[in-house]
Amino acid sequence: MKKLFQQIRSRLDGRSMAARAEELCRIEQGQTFRHYHQSINWICNAMKAAGLPNVEKINFPADGITTYEDKRMPIAWDATIGKLTLCNAEQTVAADYTIHPFHLIKGSVATKTGGETVRIITEQQYLAGEDPRGALVMLEPNTAPRARVLTPILDQGGRGIISDFLQGRYEHPDALQWVTACTEGSNWHVQCDDRDFIGFSVTPRMGAKIRELAGNGNLKAKIECDGQRYAGILPAATALIPGQRAEEVWLLAHTFEPLLDDDSIGVIAGIEIARQIMSMGTPEYSLRLIFAMELYGYAAFHANFKGKVIGAANLDSLPPNSHNIVSLIPPISSVPFHGVKILRAMAETFHDILPLEWKKPECFDDMSLSDSTTGVPTVWFLKSSKPDVVNLWHNSAQTDPGFLEPDVFADYTALAAVWFHSVLFSTNVAAELPKFEQKEIFSPWRDYARKQIYARAQVGLPHNLVRIPKDQRRPLPDSVLYGPMSSILSAMDGKKNLAQIILETEADRQVTLDDGQIKKYIDALNYLADWGYLTAVQRTELTSTMLSAALRQAGVQDGDVLLVHSSLSQCGYITDGAKGLIEGVMTAVGKNGTALFPTFTRPYIYLGNSLNKGWNYRPYAPNVPSQIWTGLVPRVLLEQYPEAKRSRHITHSWAGLGPKAEACIAAHAPTDPPASKTSPLGKALELGGKVVYIGSGLGPSTFLHYLETVCDAAFLQPAVCRIKEPDGSLRTVFIDKHLPGHRDFYRRDAENCKFFVRAVKAGLHIGEVPFGMSKLQLIDLKEFYEVGIKLLQEDPRILLCDDPDCQFCKNF
């Protein structure tokens, strides 16, 4: 291998390769679809100039609708104008696409002809309740422009964002972050159901100036943009060097990320490697070059491919300079490929020649074709920063002269070429999966997993969740691609149980999963099975009938009034999910019974002495169930049960079913203390109700807040909240005796907090019945009240913790 490396390296002209990479990078910096086509045309011409055969430009739909292997294609976008001019005395131009294309965030839409004047508010002002309608929000330096910030801003009528987020901001205060994946979901590109926005990327120095001006008063700016989204064409390029066999090995280097190491150098390296392979004779296997949009373009290509491919290598982000080393990353163990053994041999052979490291198996980005359903095990030659070197991910400094060192570039191109030569010309390296020693591990959730068997129901790893309505999509563990989730999914064959798959995943990835992580994966797998991404061959299911029987065993009687706290996932899989739980509860209380569920929201500007800084803030809108933070069950209650009654409280509303629901909620005014006697908590107590915990444990005991409110506890403090009026305007309200800060029972083992330990000793009965992986617990409210009031009178701090580092509890 070393001799082959020297032969290839001696034939590479690093300066010429670097110049071509810089030329391609300049084209792609424009980041629009017209630049995408220019880039692919340039690449096709470069491959032809290098003498590569079977060069072809391929077109895929760019309509934001067409989906390949659960990757929905981007919607085409073009722009020539994107300018942000501050309306200060100097008329400062803060961003201008014509000066640097990175200034305009991909997907931004057009303003009126001639531009528009808008307000700029800061992230802090926005989170503190400033009305964002029609405004741009200047994000904080460490706030990445992603779905979690864009979505709430658009929800509240904001026009868009300004971002100075930058990897390496202190080393490059005048650089720009290239912003991609500024969308409303897991999609990396704007799609048909993403709403209009306008966004600008500015330098850290400019971001600081904007925040200062906006913080000092009413800052306005003129914005100009001609961005257009439309149904267009996404191009890709390919070439094929035929071998003795029709089976192909793929060389992947993605296009359209406008940075030298991400990934114009991968394209140039790929063309040069193919040229070197051709000069060495006819290989055993055929070599196909594919240059396409990262993830999406490869999903489209693979979905339309009719031949046979045995494996691939990804050249995204080869080391561009001496500040980096190369990580040799094998694919997860799914499909045998002799290229993995060759990669390992290279790690042992070249460690004394080039800085490199062997890494654990992965399946992220363009390695995702390694999944068993797509079956293209893909290795990756990926740059890693040396110790104490700042990572400049998507920093415009990556396009600067001198960033790309020709000799380093040529060295790692030669290294990758050795791998391709060894793989393509190999006839005697066995293709086999690694063998692992697996020691059985026993734990509650592993035991549960032994009874679960799933099979894949579609090709490709779940990514955009296009089968699922937008308002019901939720983040998946590891974003699927960035951890054990991809390995677990890949191993599902409809035969192995989930516990065995977890052991295999742990051995392959060299990790150990705790029960909390396993439960998280099981919850996600059941969610995917419910939406048709998986087939549940064998699954432990709890039914509404089983729940109602368990509730009756715990002490629920016909006609009861129940306060219900629940955690679906802690119990295991419940048939029909949240609806099944609601039906089970209502069956247990009977037609004369009533059940109340917490439908709490977070419209806080101030809570106690703390100014809101959380992105979960939403001005209260009673007709938007997605604002509810207390779980899926109360959201489903409001969405699917039109007969449900909901109280009017701004932060701590309750919703219920049953003949006494209206009586329980009617007196709870919008700005009453949230746990006052007028609240459903107080009304349920008056009616002789009970509180039931379904898998949640005792931590969500809102009735304890009722006790502290009745006792006028010193740690109750006011809250200032925002309400969204029907016309979209915001109104500020004040709520006295609110519930800020920490409590001792805010923990998973709440039964061990001071209150419940002492309450049980004082005679409080907590009924318990096993249910699935968890348990049901039930407390009579009259008993809860009598014991609780006595304990609070004896020790007013009993609900507070004793941790000296707790900034809230230690003050009382």
Side-chain angles (χ1 to χ4, degrees):
M1 282 186 175
K2 288 183 178 180
K3 183 177 179 181
L4 179 61
F5 172 82
Q6 295 297 340
Q7 291 174 349
I8 295 174
R9 179 62 182 88
S10 68
R11 296 197 292 263
L12 298 182
D13 182 348
R15 292 187 180 280
S16 174
M17 292 167 56
R20 284 181 284 148
E22 289 168 349
E23 182 180 351
L24 177 58
C25 186
R26 284 192 293 272
I27 295 172
E28 296 202 327
Q29 277 184 44
Q31 68 175 326
T32 73
F33 269 67
R34 70 179 186 279
H35 295 101
Y36 290 179
H37 285 274
Q38 292 172 19
S39 168
I40 292 299
N41 290 338
W42 188 96
I43 291 169
C44 286
N45 289 334
M47 288 195 290
K48 291 174 182 177
L52 306 190
N54 304 302
V55 173
E56 184 181 2
K57 180 179 179 180
I58 305 172
N59 293 321
F60 302 112
D63 53 11
I65 299 173
T66 301
T67 302
Y68 299 103
E69 301 173 354
D70 204 46
K71 284 76 179 173
R72 179 181 280 167
M73 304 303 282
I75 193 165
W77 175 77
D78 277 301
T80 62
I81 299 170
K83 191 172 183 180
L84 172 68
T85 305
L86 305 182
C87 296
N88 58 346
E90 295 81 17
Q91 292 290 295
T92 303
V93 176
D96 190 344
Y97 176 85
T98 62
I99 294 174
H100 200 300
F102 288 10
H103 273 303
L104 184 63
I105 293 178
K106 283 173 52 183
S108 292
V109 299
T111 58
K112 296 177 182 177
T113 303
E116 303 170 21
T117 299
V118 301
R119 293 179 300 125
I120 296 178
I121 63 174
T122 67
E123 176 181 318
Q124 291 185 358
Q125 291 168 331
Y126 163 73
L127 293 176
E130 183 78 17
D131 190 343
R133 287 184 297 168
L136 295 179
V137 178
M138 179 70 233
L139 303 179
E140 286 294 293
N142 292 323
T143 299
R146 292 290 186 267
R148 78 178 188 94
V149 301
L150 180 63
T151 298
I153 289 171
L154 297 182
D155 284 346
Q156 295 168 53
R159 193 66 184 279
I161 60 172
I162 308 170
S163 171
D164 66 342
F165 177 83
L166 183 71
Q167 297 280 356
R169 64 184 301 109
Y170 301 110
E171 292 75 17
H172 299 277
D174 294 309
L176 294 167
Q177 187 84 6
W178 176 62
V179 177
T180 187
C182 188
T183 67
E184 296 186 65
S186 61
N187 41 304
W188 292 4
H189 304 275
V190 171
Q191 298 175 349
C192 62
D193 53 4
D194 284 311
R195 289 172 289 182
D196 289 352
F197 70 86
I198 296 177
F200 297 96
S201 181
V202 300
T203 68
R205 206 183 302 274
M206 182 58 68
K209 181 172 184 174
I210 293 173
R211 277 188 289 271
E212 179 183 5
L213 291 171
N216 288 337
N218 185 22
L219 177 61
K220 294 185 177 180
K222 181 179 180 181
I223 58 173
E224 303 165 78
C225 183
D226 64 351
Q228 298 290 332
R229 302 175 186 174
Y230 60 96
I233 297 296
L234 181 72
T238 184
L240 178 67
I241 300 173
Q244 300 288 345
R245 305 187 190 185
E247 295 101 315
E248 296 178 5
V249 174
W250 286 359
L251 184 157
L252 312 178
H254 70 71
T255 49
F256 312 146
E257 292 201 16
L259 303 153
L260 283 168
D261 66 343
D262 198 3
D263 184 34
S264 62
I265 67 173
V267 173
I268 301 306
I271 295 172
E272 187 59 33
I273 289 169
R275 194 173 70 85
Q276 294 295 327
I277 293 296
M278 287 182 62
S279 71
M280 299 176 185
T282 302
E284 181 74 12
Y285 297 97
S286 299
L287 173 63
R288 181 178 293 279
L289 289 75
I290 312 171
F291 302 124
M293 175 177 276
E294 188 170 19
L295 195 67
Y296 293 81
Y298 289 113
F301 187 91
H302 180 269
N304 288 279
F305 180 66
K306 305 302 182 184
K308 170 70 174 176
V309 54
I310 63 170
N314 183 17
L315 302 185
D316 175 10
S317 299
L318 286 170
N321 54 47
S322 54
H323 298 297
N324 296 278
I325 64 174
V326 70
S327 293
L328 303 181
I329 308 177
I332 58 172
S333 299
S334 59
V335 177
F337 176 39
H338 67 283
V340 178
K341 183 178 287 188
I342 290 172
L343 189 73
R344 182 74 200 198
M346 289 180 63
E348 297 168 356
T349 300
F350 288 97
H351 69 90
D352 59 344
I353 295 179
L354 290 172
L356 56 79
E357 58 182 352
W358 178 260
K359 303 290 281 188
K360 298 176 183 178
E362 296 286 357
C363 191
F364 62 94
D365 295 359
D366 289 335
M367 297 182 80
S368 63
L369 290 174
S370 303
D371 171 50
S372 60
T373 64
T374 42
V376 188
T378 304
V379 308
W380 195 344
F381 296 81
L382 176 65
K383 74 165 187 179
S384 296
S385 297
K386 290 182 177 178
D388 302 322
V389 173
V390 176
N391 179 17
L392 300 180
W393 177 77
H394 285 183
N395 187 314
S396 62
Q398 292 170 297
T399 66
D400 290 345
F403 177 80
L404 179 55
E405 298 176 14
D407 287 341
V408 174
F409 179 24
D411 285 344
Y412 287 107
T413 300
L415 182 70
V418 170
W419 181 88
F420 275 102
H421 181 277
S422 301
V423 170
L424 290 165
F425 286 85
S426 172
T427 57
N428 56 6
V429 179
E432 57 188 13
L433 293 176
K435 294 179 174 59
F436 303 109
E437 290 187 11
Q438 299 171 26
K439 184 177 181 180
E440 193 78 1
I441 304 174
F442 295 92
S443 70
W445 280 103
R446 288 177 188 268
D447 295 342
Y448 182 88
R450 286 185 183 88
K451 302 173 185 177
Q452 321 307 311
I453 299 175
Y454 303 89
R456 298 289 290 282
Q458 73 155 41
V459 175
L461 289 168
H463 191 259
N464 291 152
L465 301 181
V466 297
R467 290 171 174 256
I468 304 175
K470 185 177 180 180
D471 62 352
Q472 297 188 57
R473 294 173 194 161
R474 69 190 199 199
L476 295 175
D478 313 324
S479 297
V480 177
L481 301 183
Y482 301 100
M485 182 69 170
S486 59
S487 296
I488 291 170
L489 287 168
S490 184
M492 288 178 172
D493 59 1
K495 298 177 182 178
K496 289 183 288 190
N497 69 61
L498 182 56
Q500 179 61 35
I501 288 172
I502 289 170
L503 286 174
E504 293 173 0
T505 294
E506 291 172 316
D508 191 23
R509 287 184 173 265
Q510 302 164 49
V511 297
T512 300
L513 303 177
D514 61 34
D515 255 20
Q517 292 170 301
I518 292 171
K519 188 200 80 66
K520 178 178 66 174
Y521 290 125
I522 291 173
D523 189 36
L525 296 175
N526 284 323
Y527 169 73
L528 291 171
D530 285 346
W531 287 103
Y533 286 94
L534 303 174
T535 299
V537 177
Q538 177 179 305
R539 178 163 62 178
T540 303
E541 298 193 11
L542 300 166
T543 66
S544 59
T545 301
M546 295 166 66
L547 175 59
S548 60
L551 286 168
R552 286 299 184 99
Q553 185 182 351
V556 173
Q557 297 176 352
D558 187 87
D560 272 348
V561 173
L562 294 184
L563 300 174
V564 183
H565 298 289
S566 62
S567 175
L568 276 173
S569 63
Q570 291 293 338
C571 299
Y573 182 75
I574 297 180
T575 307
D576 295 329
K579 189 171 183 179
L581 186 145
I582 294 167
E583 294 295 329
V585 170
M586 296 313 298
T587 299
V589 298
K591 64 180 181 179
N592 296 316
T594 297
L596 301 167
F597 299 81
T599 52
F600 302 165
T601 56
R602 290 186 172 113
Y604 306 108
I605 300 173
Y606 276 93
L607 183 55
N609 296 321
S610 299
L611 179 66
N612 177 60
K613 295 182 180 179
W615 281 97
N616 51 16
Y617 158 78
R618 298 288 192 284
Y620 176 69
N623 297 321
V624 185
S626 61
Q627 290 187 354
I628 296 168
W629 63 266
T630 42
L632 181 62
V633 172
R635 292 201 295 272
V636 169
L637 177 71
L638 292 180
E639 291 169 347
Q640 299 188 28
Y641 292 81
E643 69 272 28
K645 309 292 184 182
R646 186 183 185 188
S647 67
R648 298 169 295 153
H649 199 269
I650 303 303
T651 65
H652 280 66
S653 65
W654 290 73
L657 294 172
K660 296 179 182 177
E662 182 67 33
C664 288
I665 69 171
H668 202 199
T671 58
D672 283 352
S676 65
K677 290 185 177 181
T678 63
S679 74
L681 297 159
K683 296 302 178 181
L685 174 63
E686 289 179 15
L687 293 169
K690 300 168 183 174
V691 57
V692 64
Y693 308 85
I694 303 174
S696 65
L698 302 177
S701 293
T702 314
F703 192 74
L704 290 175
H705 292 308
Y706 175 79
L707 298 179
E708 64 191 29
T709 303
V710 170
C711 293
D712 198 21
F715 41 85
L716 300 176
Q717 298 173 22
V720 180
C721 303
R722 287 282 210 184
I723 299 175
K724 186 175 183 179
E725 302 286 20
D727 65 357
S729 63
L730 300 180
R731 179 164 59 92
T732 304
V733 297
F734 177 88
I735 301 176
D736 197 15
K737 295 184 181 180
H738 215 288
L739 314 169
H742 184 250
R743 301 291 189 275
D744 191 36
F745 60 92
Y746 289 177
R747 53 200 250 194
R748 294 194 65 175
D749 65 336
E751 64 272 15
N752 295 321
C753 76
K754 289 185 297 183
F755 177 88
F756 283 114
V757 169
R758 295 182 194 175
V760 170
K761 289 181 179 178
L764 179 67
H765 175 70
I766 303 175
E768 290 189 2
V769 173
F771 185 64
M773 291 297 293
S774 188
K775 58 189 174 183
L776 307 181
Q777 295 164 287
L778 184 139
I779 305 175
D780 179 85
L781 287 178
K782 181 181 178 183
E783 189 177 307
F784 202 164
Y785 176 81
E786 290 173 349
V787 172
I789 289 293
K790 184 175 183 296
L791 292 176
L792 273 165
Q793 289 172 343
E794 293 173 352
D795 180 4
R797 288 195 77 263
I798 193 172
L799 297 179
L800 301 178
C801 76
D802 298 319
D803 183 354
D805 294 325
C806 178
Q807 296 302 310
F808 182 83
C809 292
K810 72 178 184 180
N811 291 325
F812 300 95

